[in-house]
Amino acid sequence: MLSSPTGQVFHHCTQDQAIDTFYTWSNSEQWNPSRKGYEHEVHHNIDPKGFIYSTVESSPSDNNQVEEQGQKGKEKETKKQGPDPAKNEIVCIVSAIRYGEDQGWIGHYIASSKFRGRGYGLATFNKALDHLNHETRASIGLDGVMAQLENYRKSGFTQSAWLNERRNGSVTELVEKKERELAERISHNKVEGLVLLSDPNVDLEQLPGIEVKYCGMKRPQFVKKWVQFHANHPEENRVGVAFLSSDPTSTDPVTGKPLVLGYACVRPATSSYRVGPLYASSGEIAKILLVKLAVEVLQAEKQHPLGIPMVFDVDMPDKNPAAVELFNGLGWKNTFPCMRMWKGKVPEHDVNGVFGVTSLEVG
């Protein structure tokens, strides 16, 4: 546990707390990050101390009575119960995930409306930067809502990579009307090279390199766990797909498996399905992957109905003209813009391969 001289206390979440608290708070802000917060298991496994919340004691007489969360013998109790609501009140949450030695990501930054304007939020944000060792880390990123851009710039996030546009569209309409012919070909397995990520022909070792190439994120362990999270849980209607090269001379020099020309994942959230990432070497491949996800989700919903609205949300960069053309052609509107910002160096990237980022919350 960490403390500040103002009486505000900072805590590192256990995995259970991260799943519960961060999911609840994100949905209270209508961020629609996921269903039940399960994806936080992936994030927490990458950086167990990367989920931070701060509290202030609700009674002024208790301001100096702070309990050490990590005390021996109390870890099990803390994991089950979290902070005692009779003594403490959460004022702010934030995630700060370390990716390797030189990158980090800030997300889930929410301050309680009850406590805003008192400096608690900024103090929690600065604690997240401290966790990332921001003075020595080459690149720290975040996706900032438009109303807070100036505040992020004051905190050192002076570089911008692109503007994310959340494109939103009907899954059913995509399959049954707008791309019906393609969807029928996909349903009958008539698109060569299009497979599920669980297919043995998919070389998972290629996927981290694809992310480095297209968006500059160096996080191989995260990518592998994120793919496993989507590809191995059909009962949760999570899906991962890939497009493989059909050229027999176009193979990985180490494994001999086909080159991956694109891949995509989708997961159910609260008010829609969230697509991310959607990486592809061309707009045509991106469209095929998107429609494949839609076909799979519609089928999954029939087998395991979750009651999630049949809508896709895709956060795409405005600087990729092929992505703009794809979603404009589908008639999917921009419902939520935010800026991808960096403190320090903007990682080298080829935005033309990014048709949907992995997640605004984790980069």
Side-chain angles (χ1 to χ4, degrees), residues 168-182:
N168 174 284
S170 166
V171 177
T172 305
E173 188 175 88
L174 177 65
V175 170
E176 297 182 358
K177 293 182 179 180
K178 294 185 176 180
E179 294 295 335
R180 182 173 180 175
E181 181 181 347
L182 174 58

Side-chain angles (χ1 to χ4, degrees), residues 209 233 252-253 290 309 346:
H233 294 278
D252 183 89
L290 184 67
V346 178

Side-chain angles (χ1 to χ4, degrees), residues 131-196:
H131 170 69
L132 294 176
N133 299 322
H134 63 100
E135 297 297 340
T136 59
R137 206 159 290 262
S139 304
I140 299 175
L142 58 78
D143 284 314
V145 297
M146 305 309 288
Q148 296 297 324
L149 297 189
E150 188 55 37
N151 287 332
Y152 291 133
R153 292 188 181 105
K154 291 178 181 178
S155 293
F157 291 82
T158 57
Q159 307 295 321
S160 298
W162 61 67
L163 179 72
N164 286 305
E165 297 180 359
R166 176 162 294 175
R167 297 302 185 101
N168 174 284
S170 166
V171 177
T172 305
E173 188 175 88
L174 177 65
V175 170
E176 297 182 358
K177 293 182 179 180
K178 294 185 176 180
E179 294 295 335
R180 182 173 180 175
E181 181 181 347
L182 174 58
E184 288 181 351
R185 289 172 54 214
I186 289 173
S187 298
H188 292 90
N189 297 317
K190 292 184 177 180
V191 178
E192 187 178 7
L194 183 61
V195 298
L196 295 175

Side-chain angles (χ1 to χ4, degrees), residues 126-282:
N126 288 336
K127 191 60 65 175
L129 288 178
D130 289 343
H131 170 69
L132 294 176
N133 299 322
H134 63 100
E135 297 297 340
T136 59
R137 206 159 290 262
S139 304
I140 299 175
L142 58 78
D143 284 314
V145 297
M146 305 309 288
Q148 296 297 324
L149 297 189
E150 188 55 37
N151 287 332
Y152 291 133
R153 292 188 181 105
K154 291 178 181 178
S155 293
F157 291 82
T158 57
Q159 307 295 321
S160 298
W162 61 67
L163 179 72
N164 286 305
E165 297 180 359
R166 176 162 294 175
R167 297 302 185 101
N168 174 284
S170 166
V171 177
T172 305
E173 188 175 88
L174 177 65
V175 170
E176 297 182 358
K177 293 182 179 180
K178 294 185 176 180
E179 294 295 335
R180 182 173 180 175
E181 181 181 347
L182 174 58
E184 288 181 351
R185 289 172 54 214
I186 289 173
S187 298
H188 292 90
N189 297 317
K190 292 184 177 180
V191 178
E192 187 178 7
L194 183 61
V195 298
L196 295 175
L197 275 173
S198 56
D199 189 288
N201 287 317
V202 178
D203 181 8
L204 298 180
E205 296 299 322
Q206 294 181 37
L207 305 190
I210 291 174
E211 186 167 76
V212 172
K213 176 182 178 181
Y214 288 146
C215 75
M217 301 291 284
K218 301 174 183 177
R219 47 183 185 178
Q221 294 305 314
F222 170 83
V223 171
K224 293 174 185 177
K225 289 182 180 295
W226 188 257
V227 167
Q228 292 169 0
F229 173 80
H230 287 83
N232 299 327
H233 294 278
E235 76 284 356
E236 287 287 339
N237 296 5
R238 302 197 292 257
V239 181
V241 299
F243 194 92
L244 308 180
S245 173
S246 57
D247 182 352
T249 65
S250 184
T251 59
D252 183 89
V254 177
T255 65
K257 291 187 176 182
L259 291 183
V260 180
L261 302 181
Y263 75 96
C265 298
V266 67
R267 67 189 187 278
T270 303
S271 58
S272 69
Y273 276 78
R274 292 282 297 272
V275 175
L278 175 53
Y279 296 138
S281 58
S282 71

Side-chain angles (χ1 to χ4, degrees), residues 268-324:
T270 303
S271 58
S272 69
Y273 276 78
R274 292 282 297 272
V275 175
L278 175 53
Y279 296 138
S281 58
S282 71
E284 184 61 29
I285 291 176
K287 181 169 70 174
I288 292 172
L289 291 169
L290 184 67
V291 176
K292 173 66 171 175
L293 290 178
V295 168
E296 293 293 330
V297 164
L298 284 175
Q299 184 62 32
E301 185 65 24
K302 291 178 182 178
Q303 297 176 353
H304 314 103
L306 301 179
I308 307 296
M310 287 289 95
V311 172
F312 275 177
D313 280 325
V314 189
D315 296 301
M316 57 133 252
D318 69 330
K319 288 189 176 180
N320 181 353
V324 174

